[in-house]
Structure formats: structure tokens, C-alpha cells
Amino acid sequence: MIKGNFPIEKFETLQTPFYYYDTALLRQTLDIVKHESEQYNYDVHYALKANVNSDLLRIIASYGLGADCVSGNEIQAAIEAGFPAEKVVFAGVGKTDREINRALDFDIFCFNAESEQELQVINMLATKKGKKARVALRINPNVDAHTHHYITTGLNENKFGFNIENLDKVIAVIPSLTNLEFIGLHFHIGSQITDLSSFQDLCVRVNELQDDLEEKGIVLKHINIGGGLGINYEHPNHFPIADFETYFRLFHKNLRLREGQQLHCEPGRSIVAQCGSLITRVTYIKKGISKQFAIVDAGMTDLIRPALYEAHHRIENISSNEPVEFYDVVGPICESSDVFQKHCELNGSRRGDFLALRSAGAYGEIMASRYNLRELPKAYLSEKLIVNG
Ligand SMILES: *Cc1c(COP(=O)(O)O)cnc(C)c1O
């Protein structure tokens, strides 16, 4: 079996489970993101909700990216990690007054507003502070992202954004909201999108919408196409970096930007997913009637994606080179959904072996919980383990 590179001797001294981040891969990924986006002068905002590990944030910020935040605490974390406030965008259907005030105090670049009432509240709070808030409207383009229904966001049935049908009414209201500056349109159709034709559909929708608005004399400076680029969960060793070249070229070819218009995007998963692995040890091998279980010391509390989204993570036994066998890899939590993978092909496994659950850098550590009163998993960076030893 092909496996990732892991410093197993170093792991011996650490308490499992823990997240392990390969920062060399993160840096390579960021180099490519930077190179490909700069060709077209696109602005990239890292979507913090994928992973807010402060060491990773500092690395990402050091590449000059902006930040896409969905809570006041994420804005705080972004600024503390070195993302400049003038590159912070703030999305979310339920921004509270407290969060809006915090964002106003930081003078962030833009609020991606999702309802008319929200616009009124931002305007009211900005007025109180004597400030002008820059806003973009998050549009629900009714584009199918062809991804798991829990992570599709751009259909009429989803709670996010303004429906195109209601847009005229909202745009008519904005001039009366004197402390808002309407600067752009925002879209985000879903996550883990591997069928790139969904992004092509998005471009068509954005072009149509821009034509309509232009007829009404409205041209906005900023177009934000959100995040959602998928990664290869099946073959992280063969495809460690998402195809940013094709992704950016697709927008360049299909989106008709107007003179002086700036394109923004918000990748989360595609930046951090592949650099992370959840490292766990086999606690027991249990032989059932028709199958055997590898019971590991990580559970759905450490990595909830398989239980929540039926997500697949490649699992490698990094301690064993014995002939492969099949196991149901399960956690210790008292829930039947606490299964990482059924009928998983692993090198012959024993108590104490290390398993790596790959591609766990996005929506992993940050979604950990203390259910069953478990400890939260720790996290280690490859460069620190190797340097500090
Ligand atoms: C979650 C989210 C993103 C990032 O999505 P990925 O699939 O991780 O790239 C970007 N923009 C918004 C508004 C989001 O909610």
C-alpha cells in the first residue's frame, strides 16, 4: 500500500489521537494558489472555518491571503494571526449585533449580507458608530453543486443568501440605508465540488445577473465567487494539491468581468485538507462473526465528517507492512455512527499500531467535541516536531 510520510519515531512519544499537519505540503499548496491566482490578479480569502489552528493561520496569512470569516471570533482569530482587516470578509446568515459591532470596530473589508433585515441592522449599527460599512449581497444563484446535500448551499431550498427573484426589491432599498456602501456580489454554492461544471454554471448565472444589473445602470466593483473547490479524498498521495490551475482558468475563461472589476474567492478545504492527518492507535482488534473490527482511540468526537456527511477518509496503517486484510475501523464513542470506514483495506493490524486518517486538515480539528467527556485532540506541525524534536 502507498502511504504518506510520517515520523513514526516521533509519534511514539505523543499521546494519541492527535492531528498532524504537514506544513511543507501546506506551503507548496499556498505557493501554487498564489502563483495561479496572481496570473489573473484574483484576491484569495482563506475560509477560516475549515481550520483555525493558530500556527496554520499564521503560515497562511504570511502568504498575503485575505480571510473569509463566519463569526466574530473567526474575525478576531484572523486578525491575531496577521490577516489584515482590509482583506477580511464576513459571511453568515445569523450575524449577531455583537459580531457586527466587532467587525465594524476592525473596519473589515466587506460584510457579505444575506437578508434585508441584516442590511438594516448593519446600517443601524454603523450609523451609531458614525461609520460606513461596505456590503456585498450574497446571492443564491440556484446552482446545483453536485455534492453531499448537507454541504450544498446555492439552491433555492437552502437558507443562504438572497434569491435572484427578490433582488430588485432589495437593491431598491439600499440607497435609503445611508451608512452602507454597496460594493459587490457574493456567491458560494457549496463545498467539496469536484465536478467543475458546477462552477461553469455559476459563471453563466453571474454573467446573466451582471447583464441584468448593467441594464439597470448597476455595475459593482467586486465579484466574490466563494469557495468549494474539492480535493481528492481517495488518493491523497497521488493528488496532494487541488487543481487550482484549472479552477482559476475556468473563471478567467467563463466569467465576463467588467472593466475594473475585482474577483475574489474563498477556498477553505482545498488549502488545508490534504496537509492534515488524524493519527490514532489501534486499541483492540475484535473478531466478529463475519468481520473484524479495528477499534481505535480516535472517534467521531475527533473527526465527525464520516458520521455527519458520510465522508470517506483514506486510512493507512503506518506501523505495518503485513499483508492487507479488511477491517471495520471504529471509534470508542457510544454511538453506532462512530464508524470511520467499513470494510477498510489495511495492512494486518495489531493493538498499538498507528493509523493515519488522511485528508483530515479541513473540518476536522475544528469540529472536535468533548462528547463522552473526551479530551480534545492536540495538534502538531511537521516542522516543529522535526525541528524541536
Ligand atoms: C464554507 C465557506 C467557504 C469555504 O468552503 P470550502 O468548501 O471549504 O472551500 C467559503 N465561503 C463561504 C461563504 C463559506 O461558508
Side-chain angles (χ1 to χ4, degrees):
M1 259 181 106
I2 300 168
K3 296 174 200 175
N5 265 327
F6 295 97
I8 296 213
E9 331 70 59
K10 296 271 164 36
F11 289 177
E12 296 287 352
T13 60
L14 304 173
Q15 187 189 318
T16 50
F18 58 86
Y19 278 89
Y20 174 73
Y21 296 112
D22 176 351
T23 46
L25 177 58
L26 175 63
R27 289 174 194 279
Q28 279 171 29
T29 306
L30 289 164
D31 280 331
I32 289 179
V33 168
K34 227 171 146 45
H35 175 77
E36 297 300 333
S37 62
E38 279 176 355
Q39 295 194 45
Y40 311 112
N41 192 30
Y42 293 166
D43 282 352
V44 180
H45 305 260
Y46 166 64
L48 264 82
K49 76 175 191 282
N51 191 319
V52 293
N53 177 290
S54 57
D55 292 315
L56 298 190
L57 287 187
R58 270 193 288 274
I59 293 173
I60 297 167
S62 76
Y63 279 72
L65 271 62
D68 166 42
C69 302
V70 291
S71 73
N73 288 344
E74 281 192 2
I75 295 173
Q76 183 83 36
I79 303 236
E80 280 169 9
F83 290 93
E86 66 265 22
K87 290 188 181 179
V88 171
V89 296
F90 183 17
V93 288
K95 303 177 188 77
T96 63
D97 294 22
R98 209 167 103 88
E99 291 176 310
I100 293 168
N101 275 325
R102 229 154 142 194
L104 288 168
D105 289 341
F106 280 122
D107 256 323
I108 63 161
F109 168 59
C110 188
F111 292 82
N112 292 327
E114 311 218 9
S115 68
E116 193 174 324
Q117 200 164 32
E118 180 191 333
L119 286 169
Q120 280 160 354
V121 171
I122 297 173
N123 182 61
M124 174 192 75
L125 297 173
T127 306
K128 276 195 194 151
K129 289 183 184 289
K131 292 194 170 191
K132 251 193 155 163
R134 286 166 296 275
V135 298
L137 298 184
R138 175 169 180 175
I139 313 292
N140 184 333
N142 198 22
V143 166
D144 192 344
H146 302 290
T147 184
H148 191 273
H149 59 284
Y150 279 6
I151 52 176
T152 189
T153 54
L155 288 173
N156 282 339
E157 68 198 49
N158 298 124
K159 68 181 176 184
F160 299 101
F162 292 92
N163 292 325
I164 290 183
E165 294 74 29
N166 303 339
L167 207 53
D168 284 346
K169 190 170 148 271
V170 179
I171 289 177
V173 172
I174 293 181
S176 68
L177 303 172
T178 50
N179 288 57
L180 299 188
E181 190 188 342
F182 179 29
I183 63 166
L185 301 173
H186 174 243
F187 306 83
H188 172 69
I189 57 174
S191 200
Q192 184 50 18
I193 296 169
T194 51
D195 176 357
L196 294 189
S197 71
S198 298
F199 290 121
Q200 247 162 345
D201 294 347
L202 172 63
C203 289
V204 170
R205 245 7 110 75
V206 176
N207 290 339
E208 288 170 357
L209 183 60
Q210 289 236 73
D211 289 344
D212 281 358
L213 292 176
E214 202 168 36
E215 271 181 30
K216 294 168 188 146
I218 301 167
V219 179
L220 295 155
K221 174 85 205 291
H222 301 278
I223 301 291
N224 184 334
I225 42 101
L229 178 61
I231 60 130
N232 194 320
Y233 281 99
E234 305 282 335
H235 303 293
N237 297 310
H238 293 97
F239 302 99
I241 299 179
D243 188 358
F244 289 100
E245 183 186 349
T246 306
Y247 174 75
F248 287 120
R249 186 157 22 105
L250 183 150
F251 287 99
H252 177 68
K253 282 175 93 174
N254 294 282
L255 205 59
R256 281 187 286 114
L257 290 180
R258 307 310 202 250
E259 183 81 21
Q261 243 176 9
Q262 178 64 46
L263 191 83
H264 301 255
C265 65
E266 308 168 332
R269 183 192 313 271
S270 53
I271 291 186
V272 289
Q274 295 291 30
C275 78
S277 295
L278 177 62
I279 307 297
T280 180
R281 280 184 123 148
V282 176
T283 312
Y284 300 109
I285 298 290
K286 175 168 148 176
K287 311 263 183 200
I289 305 283
S290 57
K291 51 168 70 177
Q292 53 182 347
F293 296 94
I295 301 169
V296 299
D297 60 9
M300 62 191 287
T301 51
D302 306 292
L303 178 64
I304 201 176
R305 297 188 67 260
L308 186 62
Y309 307 126
E310 303 167 322
H312 171 86
H313 287 266
R314 179 181 167 86
I315 305 178
E316 298 166 356
N317 183 328
I318 55 176
S319 303
S320 165
N321 283 316
E322 288 175 28
V324 293
E325 295 180 38
F326 290 95
Y327 300 85
D328 281 15
V329 179
V330 302
I333 313 296
C334 304
E335 296 286 339
S336 298
S337 57
D338 186 29
V339 175
F340 286 122
Q341 201 179 307
K342 291 190 171 164
H343 203 65
C344 173
E345 205 177 308
L346 286 179
N347 291 104
S349 300
R350 298 162 196 261
R351 172 175 162 81
D353 283 357
F354 284 108
L355 305 190
L357 281 80
R358 304 294 307 281
S359 316
Y363 308 105
E365 186 185 354
I366 188 60
M367 284 193 174
S369 80
R370 293 211 56 203
Y371 182 45
N372 285 197
L373 206 48
R374 286 167 57 81
E375 282 168 42
L376 291 174
K378 290 203 165 45
Y380 300 97
L381 305 194
S382 57
E383 61 193 29
K384 287 201 177 166
L385 268 190
I386 291 161
V387 174
N388 301 338

